[in-house]
Amino acid sequence: MGFEMFLQHCFNALTLGSLYALIAIGYTMVYGILRLINFAHGDILMVGAYFIFFGTFAFGWPWGVAAILSILAAGLLGVLIDRVAYRPLRDAPRISALISAIAMSFFIESVAVVVFTGQPRPVQQPAWLTNAWQFGDLRVTHLAAFVPGITIILVCLLLYIVYRTKPGLAMRAISKDIETTRLLGVKVDNIIALTFGLGSALAAAAGIMWALRYPQVHPYMGVMPGLKAFIAAVFGGIGSIEGAVLGGLVIGFVEIMAVAFMPELSSYRDAFAFLILVLVLLVKPTGLLGEKIEEKI
Amino acid sequence: MLEIKDLYVRYGGIEAVQGVSMSIPHGSIVTLIGANGAGKSSIIRSVAGLNKTISGQIQFRRHVGDEPVSLMGLKPESMVLNGIALSPEGRRILPHLTVRENLALGAYSRSNKKEIEDDMEWVYSLFPRLKERSWQKGGTLSGGEQQMLAVGRALMSRPDLLMLDEPSLGLAPLLVKEIFAIIRKINEDGKTVLLVEQNAYAALSIANFAYILEVGRVVLSGPGRELLENPKVKEAYLGG
Ligand SMILES: Nc1ncnc2c1ncn2[C@@H]1O[C@H](COP(=O)(O)OP(=O)(O)OP(=O)(O)O)[C@@H](O)[C@H]1O
Ligand SMILES: [Mg+2]
C-alpha cells in the first residue's frame, strides 16, 4: 500500500472514529450518572438525521439552520425519553430501566418506519462538502476535515460544560453519590435531564454528519453505529468522557485499517468492533481510562 | 427552631424510631446520643428529607418569630433553601472532586459569587488545613481532613441549622477535640447545631441540651452538663 493510500485510510478512520466518539459520549455520560445503558441512544442519531433530511429537503432550510434546529430537537427528544421512560423507574431495580430502554429503542424505530417508511432516502450532499483538496495522489474531501473539526469543537464545548460550569460540577458529583449531591441542594432530575439533552444533541450531530457521509437516511441507520459507539465507550472505560473519545477513535481506526490491510475480510467489517469488546472484557473490564465502579448497594 | 413530635421511622417491617419528640431552640447546641443502631441517623435523616416512610411532625422556624413550616414530605434538595444543612454519617466527600469543588457544591443553591467566595474564606479560616489542600482531590485527604471538609461543605449553604452526624467518627482524640472546638465556634457565630454522637463525653460537654436514645426511644434528656453527672449516663455511656 502506498503512503498516499495509507493517509487516505487515516482520514477515513479519523472521520469514522470522530462519529463513534460523538455517539459514545452520550452512552458514557448517561451510564456514568444512572448506570443505565441507554439503548435508545443510537436511534436519536437516526432521528437527528431525519430531522435534517426534512429540514433541508422538504422545507428548504439552509444546512446550518437545519443542523442547529435538528440538534436542538434531538436534545429535547432525549430529555423527553428520560422523562417518560426512565425517570418513573428511578427507584426501581436497574434491570427495569434497562428493559424500558430496549423497549424505547424498538418504539422509536417502529415509529420511524411508520412515519418515514422503511425506504432508505438519499441525502443531497452540498457541494462544499464533496469538493476535495488534491495533494498528488491523495484526495481529501472537505467532509474529511469537516467531521473531525466539528467533533473537536463539540467535544471542547462539552468538556467546558462538564469541567467549568456549575451544572457540570453537579453532573460529576451525581456520578459518584446521588444522595449526597441532592442533600447539597442540587435538583438531580434537572441535571439528569441536561445529561440526556447534551448526549442526544451530540448523537444528532453525529447523525447529521453520518447522513452526509453515507448519503442516505433510513430508520435503522442508528443501530450499528450505536452498538459500535457503545463498544467504544466500554473500551475507553464507561463513565469517562475522555475514554469515550479515545475509544471511538480506536474503534474507527481498527475498523478502517483492518479492512484496508485485509480486504479479504471486508465482509467481516462489523465484527472487528465486537472482537475488541470481547478482548476488552477479558483483559481489562474497566476499559482504558475507566476506574473501578463499585456496585452501589 | 426545630420541633420533632412523635416521630416514627419504619424500614420495611421494623420500626427504627418509635415516637421520638425533640426540641432544638434557636442558637443552641443539642446533641442526640445513643449506641449503634439506636436510630440517631434515622432521625437526623428524616429531618433532612432522606427518609420517606416516616410519620409524626417535624416543624421548623428559620428565625425566631417566623411561622413554623412543616418539613414533612419536603425533598432533600430543598432543605438548604430552608436554611438546613446536614453533614452526613461517613462524611460522604466526593472523592474525585477537589476540596474547592466540594465546597463549591455545598453552595450550589446560592448564586451570589461574592458571598460564596467570602464564605469559602470563612470555612478556610475555620479549617486552615483545607486551604492548603484546596486543589487536592477529596479522596486523597486524611480521615480528619475529610471530616473537616464535610462540615465545611455543609456550612457553604449558609445554614441556620447545622446537623452533624457523628463528626468524631474514626478520629484521633486530639482531632476530636479540635473538631468540637470548631463546632462550638460555629455555634458562637450564630448557627444552631444538632449533633449526633457516640462520643458521649465530648458531645455532652459542649451541648446545651441532650437526648439519649435507646432502641428508637428517648430514654433520658436534660442539659448536657447535668447528664454528664448522671450516674446512669456515666455507667452506660461514659465508661463508669
Ligand atoms: N435504609 C435502611 N433499611 C433498613 N433498615 C435500616 C435502614 N437504615 C437504618 N436501618 C435500621 O434502623 C436502625 C437504626 O439505624 P440508624 O442508622 O438510625 O442507627 P444509628 O443510631 O445512627 O446507629 P450508628 O451509631 O451505628 O450510626 C438499625 O437497626 C438499622 O439497621
Ligand atoms: Mg448513624
Side-chain angles (χ1 to χ4, degrees), chain A residues 91 163-164 166-170 172-177 179-189 191 291, chain B residues 45 48 50 52 76-77 80-81 86 88 92 94-97 101-102 104-111 153-154:
Chain A
D91 296 328
Y163 288 102
R164 288 282 177 271
K166 240 170 113 170
L169 177 62
R172 285 181 289 143
I174 290 175
S175 69
K176 272 279 169 1
D177 189 341
E179 188 180 271
T180 301
T181 311
R182 177 166 278 165
L183 205 52
L184 298 172
V186 176
K187 296 196 180 76
V188 166
D189 279 329
I191 300 295
E291 17 178 337
Chain B
R45 286 169 57 85
L50 291 169
K52 285 181 182 151
E77 55 263 40
V80 286
L81 294 175
L86 169 63
R92 307 284 284 263
L94 293 154
H96 59 313
L97 303 184
E101 285 173 328
N102 269 282
L105 204 60
Y108 194 83
S109 56
R110 304 167 54 191
S111 48
R153 187 177 63 181

Side-chain angles (χ1 to χ4, degrees), chain B residues 134-164:
Chain B
S134 64
W135 298 104
Q136 202 170 317
K137 292 257 161 77
T140 65
L141 298 180
S142 74
E145 289 158 359
Q146 288 192 5
Q147 188 59 62
M148 296 174 186
L149 182 54
V151 175
R153 187 177 63 181
L155 287 173
M156 285 304 291
S157 68
R158 221 180 238 202
D160 290 304
L161 174 63
L162 177 66
M163 304 196 291
L164 306 169

Side-chain angles (χ1 to χ4, degrees), chain A residues 39-76:
Chain A
F39 280 104
H41 190 60
D43 302 302
I44 303 264
L45 173 161
M46 175 270 293
V47 172
Y50 266 101
F51 282 159
I52 193 136
F53 173 78
F54 283 108
T56 54
F57 178 75
F59 301 123
W61 293 333
W63 271 94
V65 174
I68 288 172
L69 287 179
S70 155
I71 287 171
L72 288 179
L76 285 181

Side-chain angles (χ1 to χ4, degrees), chain B residues 11 14 16 34-43 89 165-166 198 213:
Chain B
Y11 301 109
I14 65 157
N36 287 115
K40 307 180 296 295
S41 296
S42 299
I43 293 174
E89 185 170 6
D165 198 344
E166 302 206 31
Q198 287 210 42
L213 203 65

